[in-house]
Amino acid sequence: MISAAADSRWVVLKFGGTSVSRRHRWENIGRLMSARQNEGLQVLTVVSALSGVTDALKAMAAQHGDAAAMAAGAEALIERHRGFALELGLASEFLNPRVDALRRLVSDVRAASGAFAWQAELLAQGELWSSTIGARFLASLGLDLQWLDARDYLTSREQAIQTDWSRYLSAICDPRPSVAIRDDLRARGSLFITQGFIARQPQGDTVLLGRGGSDTSASYFGALLGADRVEIWTDVPGMFSANPRLVPDARLLRQLDYDEAQEIATTGAKVLHPRAIAPVREVRVPLWIKDTERPDFPGTEISAESAAGAPSVKAISMRNGITLVSMESIGMWQQVGFLADVFGIFKRHGLSVDLIGSAETNVTVSLDPSDNLLDAGTLEALCSDLAQVCRVKVIAPCAAVTLVGRGMRGMMHRLSELLAEVGARRVHLVSQSSNNLNLTFVIDAADADGVVPSLHALLVRARLTGAEGDPVFGPAWRELEGLRPAPQPSWWHGVRPALLDHAGAGTPTYVYADSVIRARAQGLLDLGAVDRRYYAIKANPHPRILRRLAALGFGMECVSSGELAHIRQSLPELPLDQILFTPNFAARAEYQQALELGVHVTVDNLALLDDWAELWDGREILLRFDLGRGLGHHDKVKTGGEKSKFGIGLADLEQAVASARRAGAIIVGLHAHLGSGIFDVGHWKSVYSDLAALAERFPALRFVDIGGGLGVPHEPGEPALDLGELDAALAEVKAMYPRYQLWIEPGRYLVAEAGVLLARVNQTKRKSGAQFLGIDAGMHTLLRPALYEAWHEIVNLSRLDEPAAGRWQVVGPICESGDILGRDRLLPASAEGDVVLIANAGAYGASMASNYNLRGLVREVYDDSI
Ligand code: LLP
């Protein structure tokens, strides 16, 4: 017969230090316990010590030889807990047994040696205090609950490699679901509170479960009770695709399977301790991570279920303090058992190895400080033993950067940009886990700054993290924190009939909205620090755009005699002084023509001054410098840095001065343009100040041109460049160099958002589970996706309000496999003849279009009415 108790259902709630250190937090715990009880669940709450208490106890343990210091530490803790009891409105006498226990430990004979068994008992006091106070407080609120000593339920086991340190301070238990315990507890009541972090050896000594041990305790209890779930209550809404404090755009991970969560926790996320997963995984108890401040928010759910969706990189994390041990063979590498000997040495020193890279004559392994007691003594002893069999080199400090996602190997081809970014640093080791769940790079700790944010941005751009409609990814941290306003619908939502009319007249067609160009131009006109604005016509030389911008006071920047002629033809009235000629590797005749015409000419190669000396005598020109760095939305649009073909190197400054003098050229302007699609305001500030700092070498200097490159948001809701911030940054530099005019020459910023590409569906197709939407625009119409993996929003304009029906590969009609305009897009069921809109296509769209496959050049329409 099954007893009534046997079918009791349990939930384990765990609260960390900050969640138990304030009165309102305990009230919250009480509410949550009651709510779960009302759901018909038996509730066991596991608590950590009050914040800071475990650290204070550790400090006492470290002073074990100094009885007076320890006693002072103990009294301070006693005061703290009594004070907290008072804050909770409790008379503190009930704490007397805890006070006695702590004082006894201070005067314990084992304190003198600091024995690990004594340390464990001392450190266990924090949870015993907090759970005792909490139980009393919750009872005072009317909860009928029982206090349990966790050590009566959790028993540690011997580990395969057991040091005294791990036996007492980093113990492991093996709880199995126990009907007897469930029955027993059920008979005693339905609300319980106990301690995290502590357990007992079979022989009876108190032991600790290691760092983050309270999560592990909760998980152990979840397994022991065969709970419906374990809820870890913390101060963040769940696990994120990166540490949100470093990456505000990190996305909440709504759903993970045990393996993924394990990898993410193991490789650096601090929300959940890695040891907490195995116990629940074995018995398939789901584990939820919930935010104490937002109890109704769903958080992260970890279970055996794998979320459906396209392959994705769930998270990127970083661990610091990694030590690499590189072992070079000294002639005996092929010898049978050599690796066993080497690893035997690690084992003897109680060190667990994390990553391994091997070659014919070298094996390099990493040691993670969170798994190992890695003091200088241990390392030295290890190295001296290893030195008997190989040449040893320790590389430290290092950082391990890890990408986690199911099926990493299948995503490699989409990681090219990310690999390039990592490769710009000193990479010591690359490791791809054999479970196909992670890819790790070990780099110098000194190179680790900023690596996680930039890699996360690349993952988002490659649609490998947070792809549209992927159920795993919840809101970005930035949104949750209310930092980002709700996205405004793009302008084209409001003019759908007009756009459908334009498409009716023929596709593919670019449509440019006059009002959007005017608005962007106004933003730049409002930059008070800027004296002149030139429009880089390569972004879009449509004559109507040139006329609109010229009418608003913009000059024109061009890079070829073709562009120059086009400006003269479209804007015959434009003063020559308003034209900039900034070519790169152009023919001599092009310079000659521009100089004769009398526009501003920029030289970015000193050989021209020396070899074509007859061109320059008495001419006022600009020199373009490469400031040694490049920036931009893709490697292919970075126009600065060692390998870039643009500009004069800073090392050649003196030579530039001399060559210009010899050629008789008068340097009136300095120029730099280091890349395109930049959002960092500091970039232009530093370009400006770097160029201005060169000014004293050029006595006739009148202006500094800091180029273009102003980025536009790729997707709805992405924050735009803050022009106010840009203006303020430029004004700061201007205040230091008021003598020189400041010029800018943006292209994209003025026109990108103003343009949409309208195309029509030619065909749809299904193949091996993939769904293709074939439209009449392709890489010949919009090259950016193929060339830069640029992401453009794509919608079915004919069915704008219809729900998505699966993921589509949006492709063009060109006979090239790279002819893909958008991958895995969520679009409604679409059919031949539908009109598709591709957004943000006003810059470098039509201007880079071709007649490839003789498909004809794309149509363009400039619409004054929108
Ligand atoms: N000035 C010079 C000297 C340039 O070379 C460029 C762009 C600009 C100004 C304007 O940069 P913007 O403000 O538009 O970022 N096809 C690429 C962009 C290449 C930009 C080339 N130079 C794309 O579609 O992203």
Side-chain angles (χ1 to χ4, degrees):
M1 195 184 87
I2 297 172
S3 73
D7 56 8
S8 59
R9 290 173 47 214
W10 285 84
V11 62
V12 176
L13 311 181
K14 180 257 164 176
F15 296 88
T18 47
S19 306
V20 297
S21 299
R22 303 300 306 276
R23 182 191 177 107
H24 72 276
R25 298 283 186 129
W26 274 106
E27 287 164 352
N28 190 37
I29 293 175
R31 270 193 300 276
L32 285 166
M33 289 179 77
S34 303
R36 297 295 176 267
Q37 186 182 29
N38 293 338
E39 286 174 35
L41 296 165
Q42 299 271 111
V43 186
L44 173 66
T45 293
V46 174
V47 293
S48 300
L50 306 194
S51 2
V53 168
T54 304
D55 284 341
L57 289 163
K58 273 190 192 149
M60 282 174 63
Q63 294 166 324
H64 59 80
D66 182 346
M70 273 206 305
E75 293 312 312
L77 280 177
I78 291 167
E79 261 330 283
R80 160 119 193 248
H81 286 100
R82 280 191 171 140
F84 186 52
L86 285 177
E87 186 188 326
L88 299 178
L90 306 170
S92 63
E93 283 71 33
F94 74 99
L95 285 172
N96 289 346
R98 297 257 62 84
V99 172
D100 294 343
L102 187 60
R103 289 188 179 142
R104 263 202 310 279
L105 279 162
V106 170
S107 52
D108 191 310
V109 285
R110 295 170 300 169
S113 69
F116 288 131
W118 168 81
Q119 285 194 30
E121 233 174 281
L122 180 67
L123 265 65
Q125 299 306 308
E127 276 68 14
L128 291 164
W129 282 97
S130 65
S131 59
T132 305
I133 295 175
R136 182 62 69 115
F137 176 68
L138 294 175
S140 79
L141 297 181
L143 267 69
D144 180 13
L145 86 172
Q146 319 277 320
W147 181 92
L148 304 179
D149 188 329
R151 294 169 293 185
D152 296 342
Y153 298 89
L154 300 182
T155 309
S156 67
R157 66 157 163 82
E158 276 295 292
Q159 298 168 47
I161 303 163
Q162 186 90 68
T163 61
D164 228 23
W165 173 79
S166 60
R167 175 175 296 118
Y168 283 102
L169 302 183
S170 193
I172 286 181
C173 308
D174 266 336
R176 300 273 110 215
S178 162
V179 174
I181 292 177
R182 281 167 69 121
D183 280 356
D184 171 52
L185 291 178
R186 175 65 192 260
R188 288 167 60 184
S190 57
L191 297 176
F192 300 86
I193 184 166
T194 192
Q195 309 76 41
F197 193 43
I198 68 177
R200 192 172 275 148
Q201 268 195 320
Q203 299 89 323
D205 283 351
T206 297
V207 298
L208 305 178
L209 302 177
R211 213 168 46 96
S214 293
D215 289 346
T216 315
S217 296
S219 185
Y220 285 158
F221 276 109
L224 186 77
L225 297 167
D228 275 22
R229 61 181 184 265
V230 173
E231 299 177 8
I232 306 282
W233 287 84
T234 174
D235 54 0
V236 289
M239 287 174 117
F240 278 80
S241 57
N243 178 349
R245 291 188 176 89
L246 294 177
V247 185
D249 284 319
R251 301 281 295 271
L252 177 74
L253 299 167
R254 291 186 201 278
Q255 201 190 337
L256 293 170
D257 63 41
Y258 293 122
D259 295 337
E260 290 169 328
Q262 180 73 64
E263 290 288 335
I264 295 171
T266 307
T267 56
K270 297 277 183 296
V271 190
L272 181 67
H273 194 271
R275 279 197 189 168
I277 295 165
V280 281
R281 171 176 34 202
E282 270 171 46
V283 290
R284 307 212 145 205
V285 171
L287 193 146
W288 294 2
I289 300 172
K290 303 273 291 175
D291 185 349
T292 326
E293 294 291 321
R294 286 174 262 224
D296 298 327
F297 193 78
T300 299
E301 190 176 333
I302 300 165
S303 69
E305 310 275 303
S306 235
S312 57
V313 175
K314 300 290 173 4
I316 168 160
S317 43
M318 187 165 86
R319 285 170 291 162
N320 281 310
I322 301 291
T323 296
L324 286 183
V325 182
S326 156
M327 292 159 286
E328 199 77 37
S329 128
I330 40 180
M332 47 179 80
W333 206 244
Q334 305 289 350
Q335 204 171 296
V336 171
F338 182 75
L339 279 179
D341 291 347
V342 166
F343 287 115
I345 297 173
F346 282 86
K347 176 175 173 182
R348 264 212 311 286
H349 289 271
L351 291 171
S352 104
V353 164
D354 183 23
L355 306 167
I356 304 174
S358 73
E360 191 86 26
T361 59
N362 175 289
V363 169
T364 299
V365 302
S366 76
L367 301 171
D368 184 333
S370 59
D371 299 329
N372 293 296
L373 184 65
L374 260 189
D375 53 25
T378 317
L379 261 183
E380 216 178 285
L382 171 82
C383 289
S384 86
D385 281 1
L386 286 172
Q388 311 290 318
V389 283
C390 56
R391 245 191 314 275
V392 195
K393 191 164 105 197
V394 172
I395 308 169
C398 292
V401 180
T402 301
L403 312 183
V404 178
R406 187 162 287 290
M408 273 315 297
R409 280 194 282 273
M411 288 180 252
M412 295 299 261
H413 63 293
R414 293 168 67 189
L415 292 175
S416 55
E417 276 198 67
L418 185 136
L419 294 174
E421 181 72 27
V422 176
R425 294 161 172 85
R426 239 172 96 79
V427 180
H428 294 293
L429 182 71
V430 180
S431 143
Q432 205 267 313
S433 67
S434 47
N435 61 6
N436 205 7
L437 272 166
N438 92 42
L439 180 64
T440 297
F441 307 91
V442 181
I443 58 176
D444 271 351
D447 281 347
D449 260 9
V451 70
V452 169
S454 57
L455 296 189
H456 190 270
L458 289 171
L459 288 171
V460 170
R461 227 189 45 211
R463 307 283 125 185
L464 281 170
T465 296
E468 191 183 18
D470 190 324
V472 169
F473 297 93
W477 172 264
R478 189 193 287 282
E479 284 165 56
L480 287 167
E481 294 302 292
L483 300 175
R484 182 192 279 196
Q488 294 286 317
S490 303
W491 59 268
W492 41 263
H493 283 271
V495 291
R496 184 165 162 247
L499 292 174
L500 288 171
D501 278 353
H502 285 309
T507 51
T509 298
Y510 280 102
V511 179
Y512 308 124
D514 184 61
S515 65
V516 182
I517 295 183
R518 275 187 288 133
R520 293 296 169 272
Q522 192 57 50
L524 297 186
L525 291 169
D526 290 343
L527 295 174
V530 174
D531 298 291
R532 273 200 194 184
R533 299 151 190 87
Y534 293 85
Y535 167 55
I537 76 159
K538 61 177 86 59
N540 191 329
H542 193 282
R544 295 291 306 276
I545 295 181
L546 303 198
R547 289 208 278 280
R548 162 56 73 205
L549 290 171
L552 289 169
F554 281 75
M556 298 291 143
E557 187 260 357
C558 61
V559 294
S560 69
S561 47
E563 283 193 349
L564 185 53
H566 180 70
I567 293 172
R568 300 285 291 148
Q569 197 188 354
S570 313
L571 303 167
E573 315 280 301
L574 187 71
L576 295 167
D577 177 43
Q578 297 280 336
I579 302 177
L580 257 175
F581 183 62
T582 321
N584 176 246
F585 290 104
R588 185 195 302 224
E590 293 186 75
Y591 289 88
Q592 207 158 11
Q593 188 191 10
L595 287 166
E596 275 162 19
L597 195 61
V599 302
H600 295 286
V601 173
T602 301
V603 169
D604 80 338
N605 178 2
L606 292 184
L608 307 195
L609 296 180
D610 297 333
D611 299 348
W612 305 343
E614 73 282 2
L615 288 190
W616 315 111
D617 195 23
R619 298 284 191 192
E620 295 192 337
I621 59 167
L622 293 88
L623 289 184
R624 174 173 181 172
F625 280 94
D626 174 354
L627 301 175
R629 56 187 186 273
L631 245 77
H633 68 79
H634 188 276
D635 261 354
K636 288 181 183 153
V637 301
K638 296 178 184 167
T639 49
E642 247 171 44
K643 304 221 173 70
S644 119
K645 69 180 178 123
F646 301 91
I648 300 163
L650 279 180
D652 297 331
L653 174 65
E654 289 314 316
Q655 198 194 329
V657 172
S659 296
R661 190 175 305 129
R662 262 198 313 276
I666 305 157
I667 309 303
V668 291
L670 294 180
H671 177 285
H673 170 84
L674 303 183
S676 194
I678 301 168
F679 286 88
D680 176 10
V681 163
H683 163 73
W684 293 281
K685 185 179 173 186
S686 68
V687 168
Y688 186 10
S689 61
D690 287 2
L691 284 178
L694 307 180
E696 60 179 22
R697 302 296 297 117
F698 303 97
L701 198 78
R702 296 203 301 272
F703 41 81
V704 169
D705 179 345
I706 58 171
L710 285 69
V712 297
H714 302 283
E715 33 194 309
E718 198 177 323
L721 185 67
D722 187 333
L723 289 185
E725 207 185 308
L726 176 64
D727 201 20
L730 296 178
E732 269 181 53
V733 184
K734 185 131 207 203
M736 290 191 286
Y737 301 97
R739 272 187 302 146
Y740 309 114
Q741 285 194 8
L742 172 61
W743 293 7
I744 57 171
E745 50 182 46
R748 180 194 318 273
Y749 188 81
L750 288 157
V751 293
E753 292 157 288
V756 293
L757 171 59
L758 303 176
R760 209 171 273 283
V761 175
N762 281 344
Q763 307 179 14
T764 62
K765 166 156 139 183
R766 275 182 174 282
K767 196 180 78 177
S768 334
Q771 215 172 192
F772 295 91
L773 192 66
I775 59 177
D776 59 8
M779 64 191 289
H780 63 307
T781 333
L782 179 65
L783 183 59
R784 304 189 72 252
L787 190 58
Y788 315 118
E789 284 155 82
W791 188 89
H792 288 260
E793 185 177 6
I794 302 179
V795 297
N796 184 328
L797 196 64
S798 307
R799 304 170 195 267
L800 203 49
D801 304 320
E802 290 181 25
R807 286 171 196 284
W808 296 80
Q809 315 305 319
V810 183
V811 299
I814 295 295
C815 296
E816 294 238 9
S817 49
D819 187 26
I820 300 172
L821 293 160
R823 293 175 200 272
D824 296 322
R825 300 306 176 89
L826 285 174
L827 292 168
S830 304
E832 182 187 350
D834 285 356
V835 175
V836 164
L837 177 147
I838 303 179
N840 260 3
Y844 306 107
S847 66
M848 292 174 75
S850 74
N851 189 22
Y852 187 33
N853 285 188
L854 299 188
R855 288 213 164 266
L857 277 176
V858 59
R859 267 180 83 228
E860 294 174 274
V861 178
Y862 190 90
D863 194 332
D864 285 307
S865 67
I866 52 176

